[in-house]
Amino acid sequence: MASHSPASTAARPAPQSDIPTYEAIVVGGGISGMYLTYRLRELGVNFHVFEAGSDVGGTWYWCRYPGARFDSESWTYGYFFDEELLQEWEWKEHFSPQPDTLEYLNHVADKYDFRRDMTFNAKVVAAEFDDAANQWTVTFEDGGQARATLLITGLGVLSAPTLPNIPGLEDFQGQSFHTARWPHEPVSFEGKRVGIIGTGATAIQAIPEIAKTAGHLSVFQRHPNWSAPLHNAKITPEEQKDIKARYKEIYARCWETVACFIHHPDPRSALEVTPEEREAFWEKLYSEPGFGIWLGNFRDVLTDERANALMTEFAARKIRERVDDPVVAEKLIPKNHGFGLRRLPLESGYFEAYNRPNVRLVDLNEAPIERITAKGVKTTAEEHELDILIYATGFDGVTGPYDRIDIRGPGGRSLKEEWKELPTTLYGVINDGFPNLLMVLGPHTARGNIPRNIEMLVDFNIGLIRHMRENGYTRIEPRPEAAAEWLAQVKEVDALLLSSKIPSWQTGVNQNVPGRQTPRVLGYNGGAVRYRKTIEKVAAGGYKEFKFG
Ligand code: NA7
């Protein structure tokens, strides 16, 4: 891990005198860490970024599985901080595939020479605050350490992948991969017997791609998810010109919608229009690209059970139309949650994949998995022999990336313990009892089109750091009463959405992680516009909700 650590593998080495020390340490070289690099440099902060991977890119570095791509319109996803960058980069498709996105992020890292402030293969395993020294010490997996007054996390919300809690994972003799730890070398499915466990957003993207070449594909499904067509297409030269000419307008649009996409709810209620109008609107949305059917739907589809039930019926009908075998179609229709009440995966030929002779849906409700064996997957009914086994089993969402680092505030206070039941942050950027620990995309921030949220949160954090530097402060904490008030607001808006009670990574549920079986309030569901107004008001008011010293 370069010069920042010795080769030692000791768990907790004795303090070293030559520990590199900075004003700020950033953990993570993904979209957050890269934008932080740009802004911290601009502010003249002495900082360094530590990244677990061997290069930049975060999610797009790790999730290289076949079919991985944006569900966001590409031209709303990139960085907007430099007009030159916007004009020179050409997105090839309306919904960019992972290789192109990683190429884009590498282009950005090269253009601004970000890597000179970054160390790779540096996985942070612990961070401890020394109250007297007012300083964080981070420890890397290989035992090396670094120190800084400020610790800034750019960990993302989906960076802690989880394997299924099924016995025998080590026994399998073929190739096996978690989709978020996909090899850098190409994986060939040609003629192979492939199995995939999971039917979330990742599997919904991967299955149609793998099915194209696999000899046979077995999909092991516990619960199906709702999904709607992505309708991706290449960007034509005329569209490219138009996009580049309209970047200002596109950007402004992202900032007036509920989740920073171009889509915004229709003001009508699904219940007040005629059945014909409703049907025509849903057919239109189903035939259009992107998240319109989820975020641009009637205003009450995600908040009113009757409206949601009607939309659910429509989406179920579409599955029945697209899947040839009616028994398989029924199995692909979710029964445990309504349409859009989990983060909606968008698909390209997902349902049609089940019409192929080489694809079999294995319903784990009929015969659960007993164990993984040397040869494949053994359910209570049979043993499925496989050459390749893919775990599309998701992530310990939102708090998982933090739980995997032993973060200790003054007096050894553990952040993991603190967040066991529910995080209690101020605006999702800082937690009481953990001074000088600033977060980008922490719990209780607005989410949606992630780079837009990151931009807003990095800019807010940079504002805080600028305020500290201008006033000679070296310590920042939330005012406990302000954090309590924020939590009350977070809970209040959460209750308005039907999704708040549905188990998913967004509500912090992961059946493979002990203690994560029931939904928690982990995001701010009042929308990006309200969130942004809140933090802008805080900044304009001189950050009175924070304590400085
Ligand atoms: P998800 O959406 O959390 O999906 C994980 C899938 O894995 C889901 O179908 C799970 O079924 C399944 N799973 C997990 N553990 C098991 C076990 N032990 N046995 C069988 N099936 C299991 O993760 P994704 O990676 O697909 O998507 C995450 C986000 O990435 C997505 O929302 C986008 O924002 C991008 P379950 O529903 O628990 O029965």
Side-chain angles (χ1 to χ4, degrees):
M1 196 205 72
S3 60
H4 291 282
S5 80
S8 144
T9 51
R12 282 229 176 213
Q16 308 154 23
S17 53
D18 57 348
I19 295 174
T21 302
Y22 309 93
E23 196 178 335
I25 283 176
V26 173
V27 188
I31 293 176
S32 301
M34 289 171 67
Y35 186 48
L36 275 162
T37 301
Y38 185 83
R39 288 284 176 228
L40 285 167
R41 246 189 222 172
E42 195 178 54
L43 201 58
V45 174
N46 168 26
F47 74 99
H48 199 79
V49 178
F50 294 95
E51 160 60 45
S54 66
D55 208 340
V56 294
T59 289
W60 304 105
Y61 168 91
W62 294 106
C63 296
R64 298 166 185 249
Y65 61 86
R69 67 169 67 246
F70 290 161
D71 286 337
S72 309
E73 284 75 10
S74 307
W75 26 274
T76 68
Y77 192 95
Y79 292 110
F80 274 76
F81 60 76
D82 185 351
E83 183 62 27
E84 189 181 282
L85 174 64
L86 282 169
Q87 293 303 325
E88 77 191 7
W89 182 257
E90 309 228 313
W91 293 104
K92 297 189 193 84
E93 300 180 37
H94 284 280
F95 300 89
S96 175
Q98 176 272 338
D100 292 3
T101 306
L102 191 57
E103 195 186 322
Y104 166 73
L105 293 171
N106 275 292
H107 169 76
V108 178
D110 291 344
K111 182 175 169 77
Y112 304 99
D113 194 14
F114 283 158
R115 291 185 188 85
R116 85 177 134 89
D117 288 318
M118 297 180 164
T119 297
F120 299 101
N121 302 309
K123 185 173 175 186
V124 174
V125 293
E128 197 168 0
F129 189 72
D130 179 338
D131 208 18
N134 194 46
Q135 196 175 48
W136 284 96
T137 299
V138 300
T139 303
F140 304 101
E141 197 172 37
D142 65 2
Q145 293 186 315
R147 290 193 175 130
T149 309
L150 291 172
L151 180 61
I152 315 174
T153 55
L155 299 173
V157 287
L158 293 168
S159 58
T162 48
L163 285 164
N165 53 355
I166 303 171
L169 256 52
E170 308 305 323
D171 296 346
F172 184 61
Q173 294 298 304
Q175 289 178 289
S176 64
F177 318 104
H178 189 287
T179 45
R181 290 293 177 272
W182 201 260
H184 290 205
E185 306 72 42
V187 176
S188 168
F189 303 105
E190 203 69 50
K192 302 256 173 69
R193 296 165 304 174
V194 184
I196 184 165
I197 301 181
T199 45
T202 296
I204 285 172
Q205 289 188 330
I207 286 165
E209 277 308 305
I210 297 169
K212 284 179 190 165
T213 55
H216 188 268
L217 175 63
S218 305
V219 179
F220 297 93
Q221 174 181 272
R222 198 162 56 183
H223 295 103
N225 278 288
W226 294 107
S227 186
L230 175 67
H231 295 300
N232 181 38
K234 296 249 188 297
I235 296 176
T236 65
E238 297 72 45
E239 285 172 333
Q240 191 76 255
K241 240 173 107 185
D242 176 59
I243 290 166
K244 287 188 181 180
R246 287 193 308 109
Y247 264 130
K248 258 203 180 89
E249 189 190 311
I250 292 167
Y251 187 69
R253 172 69 182 160
C254 289
W255 283 115
E256 61 190 35
T257 64
V258 66
C260 302
F261 292 96
I262 54 167
H263 313 282
H264 194 68
D266 187 285
R268 294 171 298 166
S269 157
L271 305 170
E272 72 192 17
V273 297
T274 65
E276 292 73 29
E277 278 175 304
R278 206 163 45 217
E279 185 74 11
F281 185 51
W282 284 339
E283 282 294 348
K284 178 177 168 291
L285 291 177
Y286 203 79
S287 70
E288 286 175 349
F291 275 140
I293 196 151
W294 187 35
L295 303 171
N297 213 312
F298 292 115
R299 65 159 201 269
D300 48 0
V301 158
L302 303 179
T303 56
D304 182 299
E305 282 181 6
R306 292 162 307 159
N308 186 260
L310 291 170
M311 180 62 214
T312 297
E313 218 177 280
F314 173 88
R317 195 161 11 102
K318 286 288 171 198
I319 297 174
R320 291 189 188 106
E321 278 168 23
R322 292 174 59 186
V323 177
D324 295 343
D325 181 337
V327 177
V328 174
E330 279 322 300
K331 287 180 178 175
L332 289 169
I333 296 173
K335 309 290 187 301
N336 64 348
H337 65 288
F339 181 87
L341 302 189
R342 283 177 171 180
R343 193 283 203 189
L344 186 79
L346 297 180
E347 46 84 25
S348 306
Y350 175 65
F351 294 109
E352 287 74 15
Y354 293 96
N355 298 335
R356 299 176 67 111
N358 66 334
V359 177
R360 174 177 168 197
L361 182 67
V362 181
D363 185 352
L364 299 178
N365 298 302
E366 287 171 359
I369 298 176
E370 264 181 12
R371 62 176 301 116
I372 307 298
T373 65
K375 289 184 185 160
V377 174
K378 187 170 183 315
T379 68
T380 51
E382 62 186 298
E383 185 170 10
H384 300 257
E385 294 193 6
L386 304 168
D387 302 308
I388 302 178
L389 177 53
I390 299 167
Y391 299 108
T393 44
F395 303 85
D396 187 2
V398 190
T399 48
Y402 290 87
D403 287 352
R404 290 188 181 185
I405 302 174
D406 186 10
I407 299 174
R408 304 264 167 184
R413 196 167 166 179
S414 153
L415 189 70
K416 185 175 177 180
E417 278 304 307
E418 198 81 10
W419 285 3
K420 205 169 176 180
E421 299 303 324
L422 194 65
T424 52
T425 71
L426 177 60
Y427 314 128
V429 301
I430 195 163
N431 203 89
D432 189 28
F434 296 83
N436 293 7
L437 170 58
L438 296 173
M439 300 178 281
V440 176
L441 279 185
H444 300 163
T445 50
R447 290 198 294 268
N449 193 10
I450 291 284
R452 299 284 67 78
N453 300 109
I454 286 174
E455 178 186 69
M456 162 170 74
L457 291 159
V458 167
D459 288 350
F460 183 68
N461 276 317
I462 291 292
L464 284 168
I465 298 169
R466 183 183 296 112
H467 182 77
M468 289 174 77
R469 286 162 69 92
E470 281 171 2
N471 292 282
Y473 299 132
T474 56
R475 192 164 168 123
I476 175 169
E477 289 174 84
R479 292 197 181 278
E481 63 279 13
E485 160 63 19
W486 179 241
L487 184 63
Q489 277 193 54
V490 166
K491 285 183 176 172
E492 191 187 318
V493 290
D494 193 65
L496 305 174
L497 287 184
L498 295 171
S499 59
S500 64
K501 303 286 176 296
I502 305 294
S504 79
W505 68 261
Q506 289 184 299
T507 50
V509 173
N510 185 314
Q511 301 302 338
N512 301 306
V513 180
R516 292 290 177 243
Q517 273 64 47
T518 44
R520 292 172 292 156
V521 190
L522 289 187
Y524 174 73
N525 286 331
V529 176
R530 250 168 98 174
Y531 180 86
R532 193 185 188 193
K533 275 191 186 147
T534 304
I535 58 171
E536 279 177 354
K537 201 168 147 204
V538 168
Y543 305 105
K544 291 193 192 67
E545 293 73 6
F546 295 80
K547 280 189 288 185
F548 296 95

